[in-house]
Amino acid sequence: MDPVIEERPGTTIRARVAARGLRLTVAPLLRMWPLTRAGLRPACAIDLASPVVLPAPRWADVEGVRFADFRAEWVRAPRVAEDRVVLYFHGGGFFSCGLRTHRRMLARLSAASGVPVLSVGYRQLPAAPLATSVRDCVHAYRWLLERGFAPERIVVAGDSAGGFLTFAATLEAMREGLPAPAALVAFAPLTDLDHESKVAHANARLEAYLPARRVRQLARMLTEGAEELDPAISPVNADLGGLPPVLIQVGSTEMLLPDAELMAERLAAAEVPCRLQVWQEQVHVFQVFADLVPEGLAAIHEAGAFVRQHTEDAWAAGRTVAA
């Protein structure tokens, strides 16, 4: 089986302006940000301040959910189907962003898919290593199952670091005996903690704002200082057999393109249906910038259609069998 690779050509002027702005502002900040426990603590301010820049749309409903060790929230567009759900893990390099930074995008995803989104504020650096983040995400999936959501009505999704967790948490849940969800959606996922392929790739020089060379230090922090990175930690090296259909969206010039391409290849080799959409010259997780970048909104609509397809088709098939 081969992955279905879909090229999305064309780059609007607004997308080019966004890329230029990020290259001049965010890129220098991320290159200099100290990747130490003390240095990462101020990163929580990004999530706290984000409602000023990225407020949730007034038409969306936001409802907090309290877990024992972390927080989550429901994000609902009007008139969504309450018997289906997207379980979402935010990006941010495992140390920044959170529930607030992603509300606006997830409101749009809820509207596009016609289902509520459960956004998970999993524990992250510097307070918790990668294993804890994965555990929190598995806990959230189990919580949905215990509250009556059928697995064929759940889609697990995430962006960047959250894309890593989309694969890692689903694989861990399946190892623990939980059923697989209906589908997975990953926006520019980090799938391999080995930095070498990213540094060697031509996109390391084309990337708008993510510094490829910093992945190595980030991986050491995530694995609690391990000198040698265990390849098995990265989802791209796992046994991917049994995963549900996957949609991956990625920009053609971003640092994580090789991660997306390799994951698509490995999924196909494991006989997992996979669609890889490569959007021309789009920045990392351009869906977050949908207010400015038309391609971001178009990508969210395509992801929403994918969610509808796999939750509605599974439901219809189940009814046919039951009848």
Side-chain angles (χ1 to χ4, degrees):
M1 178 186 294
D2 293 323
V4 176
I5 301 176
E6 304 171 359
E7 302 287 344
R8 293 292 185 270
T11 312
T12 60
I13 292 176
R14 283 189 283 176
R16 295 179 190 276
V17 169
R20 178 66 173 170
L22 290 166
R23 190 171 286 112
L24 293 174
T25 57
V26 177
L29 180 65
L30 292 181
R31 282 197 298 267
M32 295 184 296
W33 197 297
L35 290 182
T36 63
R37 288 189 174 276
L40 293 183
R41 288 194 183 98
C44 65
I46 296 172
D47 188 52
L48 294 173
S50 62
V52 177
V53 181
L54 295 169
R58 292 184 178 181
W59 45 261
D61 178 65
V62 178
E63 176 189 356
V65 179
R66 176 69 66 175
F67 287 85
D69 299 310
F70 59 94
R71 295 183 303 113
E73 64 184 27
W74 289 106
V75 181
R76 291 183 176 89
R79 298 179 297 279
V80 294
E82 294 291 348
D83 59 343
R84 284 167 273 162
V85 62
V86 170
L87 176 63
Y88 198 90
F89 309 135
H90 68 82
F94 299 102
F95 67 90
S96 67
C97 299
L99 302 179
R100 299 173 184 86
T101 54
H102 283 63
R103 279 178 188 154
R104 194 170 185 86
M105 182 184 73
L106 296 186
R108 288 196 170 97
L109 181 59
S110 176
S113 61
V115 306
V117 178
L118 181 65
S119 179
V120 179
Y122 55 89
R123 288 172 287 177
Q124 53 184 343
L125 295 172
L130 176 60
T132 300
S133 300
V134 173
R135 190 160 57 247
D136 289 349
C137 294
V138 174
H139 185 177
Y141 181 59
R142 188 188 300 273
W143 183 85
L144 286 175
L145 294 172
E146 290 173 347
R147 273 148 187 79
F149 285 96
E152 62 269 19
R153 312 303 293 276
I154 302 172
V155 173
V156 180
D159 64 275
S160 194
F164 183 105
L165 294 170
T166 294
F167 292 108
T170 301
L171 290 165
E172 180 60 27
M174 292 167 62
R175 282 191 289 267
E176 293 180 10
L178 298 178
L184 305 180
V185 175
F187 300 150
L190 172 67
T191 63
D192 189 357
L193 288 178
D194 187 347
H195 71 291
E196 292 184 3
S197 64
K198 287 176 267 294
V199 171
H201 197 278
N203 279 11
R205 295 182 294 277
L206 300 176
E207 164 65 49
Y209 64 99
L210 292 184
R213 293 186 179 276
R214 309 219 70 188
V215 174
R216 182 178 186 179
Q217 180 60 27
L218 178 65
R220 288 193 63 189
M221 293 193 70
L222 288 167
T223 55
E224 301 181 282
E227 289 293 335
E228 295 295 328
L229 180 65
D230 181 358
I233 294 173
S234 297
V236 76
N237 297 321
D239 179 1
L240 303 175
L243 282 177
V246 177
L247 171 66
I248 300 175
Q249 295 179 341
V250 67
S252 67
T253 56
E254 65 169 296
M255 178 191 78
L256 292 181
L257 175 64
D259 281 45
E261 291 176 330
L262 183 57
M263 178 55 89
E265 292 173 7
R266 298 277 172 85
L267 287 166
E271 300 295 316
V272 176
C274 177
R275 290 172 57 192
L276 171 63
Q277 295 183 348
V278 182
W279 293 70
Q280 183 180 349
E281 295 182 25
Q282 295 304 313
V283 300
H284 182 60
V285 194
F286 60 99
Q287 297 86 348
V288 170
F289 307 106
D291 287 295
L292 176 63
V293 178
E295 295 91 334
L297 189 57
I300 290 172
H301 282 297
E302 294 211 27
F306 184 82
V307 172
R308 288 179 184 269
Q309 173 193 350
H310 288 282
T311 55
E312 292 174 359
D313 287 357
W315 177 76
R319 287 198 63 178
T320 302
V321 171

